[in-house]
Amino acid sequence: MEQVKPRRAKGGRTSGRVTMATVGRIAGVSQVTVSRALSEPDKVSPATLKKIQQAIEATGFVPNAIAGALASKRSHLVTALVPSLTNIVYSSFVKTFSERMREFGYQILLSETGFDPRDEETLIAAHLSRRPDAMLLTGIHHSARSRQMLLGADIPVVEVWDMTSTPIDMCVGFSHVEAGRAVADFARELGVERAATVTANDERAARRRDAFAQRFLQAGGQSVEAYDCDGPASIAAGRGALKALVDEKGFASGVIFCSSDALAHGVLIEAQARGIAVPSEIALIGFGDQEFAAHLEPPLTTVLVDRERLGHAAADALLERIEGGEAPAAMVDLGFQIIRRGSA
Amino acid sequence: MEQVKPRRAKGGRTSGRVTMATVGRIAGVSQVTVSRALSEPDKVSPATLKKIQQAIEATGFVPNAIAGALASKRSHLVTALVPSLTNIVYSSFVKTFSERMREFGYQILLSETGFDPRDEETLIAAHLSRRPDAMLLTGIHHSARSRQMLLGADIPVVEVWDMTSTPIDMCVGFSHVEAGRAVADFARELGVERAATVTANDERAARRRDAFAQRFLQAGGQSVEAYDCDGPASIAAGRGALKALVDEKGFASGVIFCSSDALAHGVLIEAQARGIAVPSEIALIGFGDQEFAAHLEPPLTTVLVDRERLGHAAADALLERIEGGEAPAAMVDLGFQIIRRGSA
DNA sequence: TTGTAAGCGTTATCAT
DNA sequence: ATGATAACGCTTACAA
């Protein structure tokens, strides 16, 4: 193939990069003045400001945030650890979190923690090495060494998507146990005697499942069948779950509480393919109130967690601590809400 | 609420952070030796290595990557700009891209560009200020100033999810025009005379739509109705699209080419709600082959783009340039594949 | 308003 | 195998 344009040699910095010193030389001022022109423009005379701006324009100067961070001890970087980037449940609050932080001049260094909890420790160390001004963690279970590193870093830390009375620093989320119980109560009020759970491979989902099962039986329910998926939530997994529940466990009717809307959606498709009526034969409850939930047929009854609010609240908590005004609350319970629609 | 644990004052660095100098002092060696112990352990005697490791353990030392980057001019940071984090189509290749880069010791600074193309310029500048070792961009349309900054940064750049013969540096993707044409040919081979398109607010989707429409008519098709959504793809938007197509444009039968599987899914749900048979009355073609596509009823015919491969290929292109071996190809066409299932 | 000088915590270079 | 010293490109006093 033809080389369309000149290619640069092996990744080296060949062209001397433009620094504030260069810009200053061209503008006829010192390097500090350039720095000031950028950070405190009112402390620089309009005339020199203009010369500096022209020099910046001419050279295409882009300030070196690395050097700035080293000198000022503020990186304007916030790091975030989330279980999964491809799961809309997490990516949606990351989105609002990022937007909020960006408004205040912070960039977000994101990493996926995935399934292995030991990886988190390595990731936390890697993130801390970038000297972030703050950090967001998903979940409240972290290794002792992780906690130690975080405490040692002496930065604001917010743990989201769960609640604890002993956060590393602050937490914003809701109680998964309460959510599971609330769904159980809701199901019992429906008058259903038999229940099943379909749960993805997720520690928090498991806590909802257990709380649901316990409360459902306590509240007079007859039985709860548990089906746990191997992997993450998906439509395919949901279809497989109903298949197993019906064919192998003989679950013929009752309510099914799924750990995510995607699973519930899969269950619904499978039910329709099998001619099982929803909600009359099987009542279906999802979790998350994803965009599509309201638009299925029948629309999905689910548990809403306000992920936008969560992202904003987490950002606000960090920002308050960074900017240094009032000490924000150590724990914020955003709660949840059961959204009743046609499926249950 | 009670303070559960001591809280730190307004975001300040109070505790003197541990540096290599501190570690060295404790281990009884100089700071440089600590540095070497971390980066080239074989050049340090086993005895001192052990002392240093103990000192690191005792102090909880986490190296300052910012200082390291400044001194070495290598940040081990790669930045990526994607249109949306909440869209699985993009987040899935970001995931594989990140994993690959992380294997080689790079962290990923991610940002969402969103809809406004002017924002990209600001974001590129912000990212460049972190002095990344490489950069990933989604799409091939960038402002002149963006290109200038990127060229000036003198780092490997890969543009993904599209093709051009004049990339800034390298590109990895596929041709949206070819994809649109291929779908048109496929539809004509089905023997369908009438077509409609349902397209999300996305420049690349629009190019597929236009290529589809043009080719469909060229190939003897009778008509193509275009329905364009205001916002991003969603099931709700898909339902709305079919509603509009049927009720307002009188589209009664034929093939519908959707710019994403999510839209197609919405169209399918709406069709089922209206008692329109798929594929006999309306044949449905999606785009993306998302996880759920194969598991709908009927399973969705769609266009597969191997997003995992895309992520890996993009990472490999950058890595080859960074590590400095062979100059990788300036453009890599990953192609696409029409996956025929039950919906068309 | 502008400039000088001293860091920031590493890595690179050159000695020992 | 280890150390001293000079960058790296900024910000933060402090001076002028």
Side-chain angles (χ1 to χ4, degrees), chain A residues 302-326:
Chain A
T302 187
V303 180
L304 163 69
V305 174
D306 192 333
R307 301 188 292 273
E308 294 206 1
R309 213 172 123 225
L310 204 168
H312 282 150
D316 288 342
L318 293 180
L319 287 166
E320 282 176 43
R321 286 287 307 282
I322 294 175
E323 309 293 341
E326 301 288 295

Side-chain angles (χ1 to χ4, degrees), chain A residues 8-17, chain B residues 73-74 133 151-156 320-324:
Chain A
R8 299 185 291 274
K10 49 168 185 160
R13 304 287 186 289
T14 52
S15 81
R17 284 207 50 72
Chain B
K73 295 176 175 299
R74 303 191 83 246
D133 290 338
L151 258 1
D154 194 30
I155 52 173
E320 281 175 44
R321 286 286 308 282
I322 293 175
E323 309 293 341

Side-chain angles (χ1 to χ4, degrees), chain B residues 151-164:
Chain B
L151 258 1
D154 194 30
I155 52 173
V157 173
V158 65
E159 295 163 89
V160 302
W161 204 250
D162 209 332
M163 285 304 295
T164 174

